């Protein structure tokens, strides 16, 4: 097994000092935390210290599953519960009964399940048993399913649409909303779909709003992936500018929905 998160005493001290000071005048922010498990690797976008400085990276260190799960629980505790742990499900995870039991009965309250069909497209046909298992798991946990969308096999919204039609009682989040025209059509046809804006041009967000979908949009950045495409970019400045552009394009109520209240509703957060 391997893990990319290692909590040290130094990290604990940094987080507590930074966020206890931050909390005096501001609401505590939420951290989206993705954990991917399979029978060879556990890959987590890490770590508390890096998150504080907006320099999240992916890495690996050898560890057993019990230690990894304990570190995730500690991580959640460090942020005073303001962490949204997302279980990234792979075909390997679904095949490994022992690993799956360890993760699901760890006491971690997963808030969402993620699927990335692009990494193994043949394993993620819309009518596959893998998706059947994912939806069954999501129903039992009462959480949404986040699916990567894009322009490759089994990632197009139109290709995944049979899944949305088959499980109309399950909420699905289309990450990225690509291609956007297909996203429009799917959202029009299936009320159990919403979209996140990671890697989405601001103009496409505006078009979604114009179509009346402001209640079905989640603000997203896909950070830290952008670091691998734009290594010299000032990330904090870039995201601030994106938010300023969005604020200029929509009214204040819509801006609040996209960046805050939709998120709170989907993940059952009391503000």
């Amino acid at each position: 097994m391997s893990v990319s998160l290692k909590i040290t005493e130094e990290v604990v001290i940094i987080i507590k000092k930074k966020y206890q000071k931050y909390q005096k005048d501001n609401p505590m922010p939420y951290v989206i935390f993705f954990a991917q498990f399979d029978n060879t690797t556990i890959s987590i976008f890490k770590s508390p210290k890096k998150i504080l400085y907006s320099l999240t990276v992916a890495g690996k260190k050898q560890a057993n599953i019990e230690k990894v799960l304990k570190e995730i629980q500690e991580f959640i505790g460090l942020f005073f519960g303001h962490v949204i742990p997302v279980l990234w499900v792979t075909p390997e995870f679904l095949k490994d009964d022992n690993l799956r039991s360890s993760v699901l009965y760890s006491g971690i309250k997963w808030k969402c399940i993620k699927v990335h069909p692009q990494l193994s497209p043949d394993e993620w046909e819309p009518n596959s048993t893998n998706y059947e298992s994912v939806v069954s798991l999501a129903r039992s946990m009462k959480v949404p399913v986040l699916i990567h969308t894009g322009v490759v096999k089994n990632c197009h919204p139109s290709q995944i649409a049979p899944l949305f039609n088959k499980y109309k009682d399950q909420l699905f989040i289309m990450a990225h909303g690509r291609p956007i025209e297909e996203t429009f059509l799917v959202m029009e046809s299936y009320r159990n779909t919403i979209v996140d804006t990671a890697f989405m041009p601001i103009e496409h967000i505006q078009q979604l709003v114009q179509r009346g979908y402001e209640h079905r949009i989640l603000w997203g950045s896909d950070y830290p992936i952008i670091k691998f495409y734009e290594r010299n970019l000032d990330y904090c400045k870039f995201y601030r500018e994106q938010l300023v552009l969005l604020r200029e394009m929509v009214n204040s109520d819509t801006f609040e929905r996209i960046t805050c209240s939709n998120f709170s509703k989907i993940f059952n957060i009391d503000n």
Side-chain angles (χ1 to χ4, degrees):
M1 295 293 181
S2 60
V3 63
S4 66
L5 173 65
K6 178 62 180 176
I7 295 178
T8 65
E9 184 177 353
E10 177 190 5
V11 171
V12 172
I13 293 172
I14 288 174
I15 287 182
K16 287 188 175 179
K17 284 184 176 179
K18 289 280 185 179
Y19 278 101
Q20 284 173 351
K21 180 178 179 181
Y22 181 88
Q23 253 191 319
K24 290 180 180 179
D25 302 307
N26 301 278
M28 171 65 72
Y30 278 81
V31 177
I32 304 292
F33 182 82
F34 291 88
Q36 181 187 37
F37 300 82
D38 58 40
N39 56 9
T40 58
T41 182
I42 300 171
S43 175
I44 305 170
F45 287 167
K46 71 162 189 180
S47 67
K49 184 175 180 180
K50 295 295 184 180
I51 289 173
L52 286 173
Y53 293 98
S54 297
L55 292 173
T56 310
V57 297
K60 296 178 181 177
K61 285 187 179 180
Q62 292 302 313
N64 60 44
I65 184 64
E66 290 78 15
K67 183 177 180 181
V68 171
L69 293 169
K70 182 179 179 181
E71 288 186 349
I72 294 175
Q73 291 169 325
E74 290 176 356
F75 178 82
I76 294 171
L78 289 174
F79 280 89
F80 308 96
H82 281 234
V83 175
I84 306 298
V86 178
L87 178 57
W88 188 332
V89 170
T90 65
E92 291 78 12
F93 174 84
L94 294 174
K95 295 171 186 174
D96 191 326
D97 292 339
N98 292 331
L99 174 61
R100 192 169 63 253
S101 295
S102 295
V103 172
L104 298 180
Y105 295 101
S106 63
I108 297 171
K109 295 182 179 179
W110 303 102
K111 293 286 190 176
C112 183
I113 293 175
K114 175 175 179 175
V115 173
H116 201 308
Q118 183 173 342
L119 302 181
S120 49
D122 292 334
E123 301 266 15
W124 293 110
E125 294 288 345
N127 292 316
S128 67
T129 56
N130 281 339
Y131 267 127
E132 183 178 345
S133 297
V134 165
V135 172
S136 176
L137 184 59
R139 283 172 169 169
S140 67
M141 298 165 66
K142 298 181 180 179
V143 299
V145 176
L146 173 71
I147 303 178
H148 169 88
T149 65
V151 292
V152 297
K153 181 181 178 181
N154 286 332
C155 291
H156 285 257
S158 60
Q159 293 174 328
I160 310 171
L163 181 71
F164 308 147
N165 183 60
K166 183 176 182 180
Y167 301 107
K168 293 181 179 178
D169 62 331
Q170 175 61 47
L171 180 64
F172 295 95
I173 306 171
M174 294 182 287
H176 317 301
R178 295 184 305 215
I180 193 63
E181 292 298 335
E182 291 185 29
T183 300
F184 295 151
L185 292 174
V186 167
M187 292 182 74
E188 180 179 355
S189 300
Y190 302 103
R191 296 290 301 175
N192 58 331
T193 60
I194 62 177
V195 65
D196 84 16
T197 67
F199 272 140
M200 181 181 288
I202 292 294
E203 294 77 13
H204 289 176
I205 303 177
Q206 185 180 37
Q207 292 172 31
L208 285 164
V209 172
Q210 290 171 344
R211 285 168 169 77
Y213 298 140
E214 64 268 21
H215 292 90
R216 297 165 65 188
I217 305 171
L218 298 178
W219 175 262
S221 66
D222 215 19
Y223 188 83
I225 301 302
I226 191 173
K227 292 174 56 180
F228 300 102
Y229 295 94
E230 302 288 347
R231 294 185 179 274
N232 297 318
L233 185 67
D234 183 332
Y235 311 114
C236 291
K237 180 180 179 183
F238 171 75
Y239 289 120
R240 282 197 299 266
E241 290 175 347
Q242 292 292 99
L243 286 168
V244 168
L245 286 173
L246 178 62
R247 189 183 291 273
E248 292 174 350
M249 287 184 173
V250 301
N251 62 45
S252 59
D253 288 343
T254 297
F255 181 85
E256 194 276 338
R257 289 191 188 101
I258 293 173
T259 60
C260 184
S261 63
N262 290 347
F263 178 90
S264 298
K265 181 178 179 182
I266 295 300
F267 295 110
N268 298 311
I269 295 169
D270 296 324
N271 291 319

